[in-house]
Amino acid sequence: MGSSDARALSRSLLDLCRMRKLTIATAESCTGGLVAGALTDIPGSSDVIDRGFVTYSNDAKRAMLGVEAGTLANFGAVSKETATAMAIGALERAGTDLAVAITGIAGPGGATPGKPVGLVHFAAAARDGRIIHREHRFGAIGRSAVRARSVVEALRMLMDLARGPQAQAKPKRAAAVTRLRPRVTRSPRRHVAKRRTPRSPRG
C-alpha cells in the first residue's frame, strides 16, 4: 500500500462525496497532514475538503479540537478515546459532514508499555451521529511506512462513512414461525388401539 493506493482512494472518495454533496475535515497527529495532502493533491478537491487540523502536541489537541485534558491524562494521546474526541472536535469545529482523526506512534521512538511503535488509533465521525474507531498495530516497519498505511486506512474509513449507513435486514415475520405447530412425536403406545375386554359367554 503506497502513494498509488492513496491516490486512487482519494479520487474515489472525492467523487463519492461530490455525488452525495458531503464535505470533509481531517484531524491528524502522527501523519502530520498527509491525509489532507493526499486529498488536496487531486485537482478540484476544494468542493469537498474544508480544512485540516494538524494537532501534533497535546496542547494543540486541546486548543484546536477541544480534546479534554482529562481524556489525554487518563488514556493518553494515542488511544481510542483521544482519537474519537479528535474526530468529533474536527466535525464540530469545521461544521463538515465527515471528519477523520489519526493519532499514533510512527517511531522509531515514542513507545511506552502497552503502546508499541506502529500503534495507531483511527476515528471517523459523521454529521448523522455515526462514529467508527479502528486500532492498527503496524509494527516497527519504519516511520514512513506507518504513516503511509495510516493515510490509506483513514481514507477507507471516510469511504465507509460516505457510503451512508448500511440498510438493516428486514426482520423475519414472527407469524411465519408460529403459524405452524411443530409435530409432537407420540409414543408408540398411544397409537395402539385399546383392546376390548372379551365378553364372558352368556349362559
Side-chain angles (χ1 to χ4, degrees):
M1 292 178 290
S3 58
S4 59
D5 299 284
R7 191 169 184 82
L9 276 169
S10 295
R11 285 187 182 279
S12 298
L13 175 61
L14 291 170
D15 289 342
L16 179 60
C17 288
R18 284 192 194 96
M19 183 179 68
R20 306 200 66 181
K21 296 179 172 24
L22 300 174
T23 54
I24 293 174
T26 62
E28 304 179 62
S29 184
C30 65
T31 46
L34 291 177
V35 176
L39 289 166
T40 56
D41 192 47
I42 307 299
S45 58
S46 59
D47 54 354
V48 174
I49 307 305
D50 179 79
R51 71 192 73 180
F53 301 90
V54 178
T55 54
Y56 213 65
S57 68
N58 285 353
D59 286 342
K61 292 176 178 65
R62 289 194 296 266
M64 297 174 68
L65 300 173
V67 179
E68 295 183 0
T71 300
L72 292 163
N74 293 328
F75 302 102
V78 181
S79 63
K80 172 184 178 180
E81 292 76 11
T82 295
T84 302
M86 289 171 64
I88 294 172
L91 194 73
E92 293 176 346
R93 302 291 171 99
T96 53
D97 300 295
L98 306 174
V100 68
I102 306 173
T103 179
I105 305 169
T112 59
K115 295 183 179 182
V117 169
L119 171 65
V120 183
H121 283 274
F122 303 82
R127 179 62 52 190
D128 60 13
R130 287 174 296 143
I131 300 173
I132 55 178
H133 163 265
R134 291 175 191 167
E135 175 187 329
H136 281 276
R137 294 177 180 253
F138 297 114
I141 58 176
R143 184 178 182 83
S144 297
V146 170
R147 283 154 57 98
R149 291 194 180 189
S150 295
V151 170
V152 171
E153 182 59 34
L155 293 171
R156 285 175 175 165
M157 291 175 72
L158 285 170
M159 281 288 289
D160 289 344
L161 287 185
R163 290 188 181 105
Q166 297 295 320
Q168 295 182 351
K170 293 182 180 179
K172 294 181 180 179
R173 293 172 58 186
V177 178
T178 58
R179 190 179 297 137
L180 300 176
R181 289 184 178 180
R183 294 182 178 178
V184 178
T185 303
R186 296 175 179 270
S187 169
R189 294 178 181 176
R190 295 183 182 179
H191 292 285
V192 178
K194 292 183 179 180
R195 295 181 180 178
R196 293 181 180 180
T197 305
R199 295 180 181 179
S200 57
R202 293 180 181 179

